[in-house]
Amino acid sequence: DWKPLTHHSEVPVRSSDDLRRRQAFYTSVDMAQIGKVLVSAGLFQGGFCNGANDPERTLALLVLTAIHDIMKVNSLLPVVTEESGPFEKHKVGEVIYNHDTALGYVLQWMPSVLPSYAGLPEAQRESVKFTQFDMEFNLGWLVQAEAPPGMLFNRFKQIIRQGKAKSSDVALYLVHWLTDLAGAEPYPQEGAEKFVLKFPPNLFVSFLSSFHCVTFLSTKTETEVMEDYLRWRWAMAEPPLGTMPQGEGAIAAMRLVVMAQGHSHKVLNAFRSLPDSERKVLSEELTRTARRGQRFELGADLDA
């Protein structure tokens, strides 16, 4: 019986804590945000609720889901050939042990060995191939504002500059991250328990919201993308934080608020009560972009 389970279902018997967490997720997470991510990735056209599903794009995501971990089987790992030449820091004759890079190599140089991938339309093959580049991207660093934009997005932006991705491809990469994590504990009738039971709802919402910002990497600088995210987090904070800060210490305050995870006013008061010299050091450090020539619009006029 594959009918969806509800709180009225006789089995399985759920604990009160389980039911509480499920209800909290249901009431806290705006499903329209999930829909927005799917639309951005090209999976729906004309909107999530009323739009039409794009079968080719959906097939590309399903193919990616099916093949993305196959290179965790060591016997399948490819060896870089003379025909391809060096690939992603790997020399000719070397085995590619990173499973994402290994799959990227196969998609680039041996696509016919994966018929499901080879049978996709060319545009969808390129999108799937993009997801296997080594982005050096840690989404958690963005969600928690733990790193400067240069460290977060440098490699990601390089690949986009090379003409290897559109904004919808970036969104597909993020949707794949979402579905991969959701399916890490595969109990379809139970729902995406990884998110529902093991992620705080506000953290899950932060992940979703960061997706929208990241898709603009194709048209904005690394620093602009991060500043957009920080502005959004400040504006959406509960309880409200008041007017958006500007000038020296602004970006530091905004990053600290994101890191505080719900203790915003306490961390802001602590930051503002620091001795001037210590606050200045922290402000300068957290305002650096790690990208020469880029500056935060709201921050002090600092070099990268």
Side-chain angles (χ1 to χ4, degrees), residues 97-238:
Y97 286 102
N98 178 284
H99 74 276
D100 289 328
T101 306
L103 180 58
Y105 180 81
V106 170
L107 299 183
Q108 177 75 31
W109 293 100
M110 310 171 187
S112 62
V113 303
L114 296 172
S116 59
Y117 170 76
L120 290 172
E122 182 179 357
Q124 304 304 335
R125 290 200 304 272
E126 290 300 313
S127 294
V128 171
K129 192 189 302 181
F130 166 74
T131 67
Q132 298 308 303
F133 281 103
D134 183 6
M135 310 290 185
E136 299 177 5
F137 176 59
N138 187 320
L139 185 60
W141 285 1
L142 171 63
V143 171
Q144 299 295 103
E146 293 176 5
M151 289 186 65
L152 276 170
F153 299 126
N154 183 41
R155 175 62 176 159
F156 213 145
K157 187 69 174 179
Q158 282 180 3
I159 294 170
I160 292 173
R161 282 200 193 100
Q162 293 168 8
K164 296 180 179 178
K166 306 182 293 294
S167 61
S168 59
D169 294 332
V170 176
L172 184 70
Y173 167 82
L174 297 169
V175 168
H176 171 59
W177 179 91
L178 188 70
T179 57
D180 186 32
L181 189 57
E185 297 177 11
Y187 303 102
Q189 283 188 295
E190 296 288 328
E193 290 195 332
K194 189 76 171 182
F195 293 133
V196 176
L197 300 181
K198 300 182 180 180
F199 266 57
N202 61 334
L203 180 59
F204 180 73
V205 170
S206 297
F207 271 106
L208 286 180
S209 301
S210 71
F211 286 3
H212 180 66
C213 295
V214 175
T215 60
F216 285 101
L217 267 176
S218 59
T219 56
K220 294 186 175 184
T221 68
E222 299 93 321
T223 302
E224 288 172 335
V225 168
M226 184 167 183
E227 186 161 2
D228 285 348
Y229 176 68
L230 293 175
R231 286 172 182 264
W232 177 84
R233 289 295 299 268
W234 184 279
M236 298 301 293
E238 289 291 343

Side-chain angles (χ1 to χ4, degrees), residues 78-82 84-96 105:
V79 176
V80 180
T81 66
E82 291 187 3
S84 68
F87 183 83
E88 295 280 325
K89 302 177 183 178
H90 293 83
K91 300 176 182 178
V92 172
E94 287 185 347
V95 177
I96 303 176
Y105 180 81

Side-chain angles (χ1 to χ4, degrees), residues 59-69 103 128 131-132 172 176:
L59 181 59
L61 179 61
L62 291 173
V63 168
L64 176 58
T65 302
I67 68 175
H68 81 282
D69 272 344
L103 180 58
V128 171
T131 67
Q132 298 308 303
L172 184 70
H176 171 59

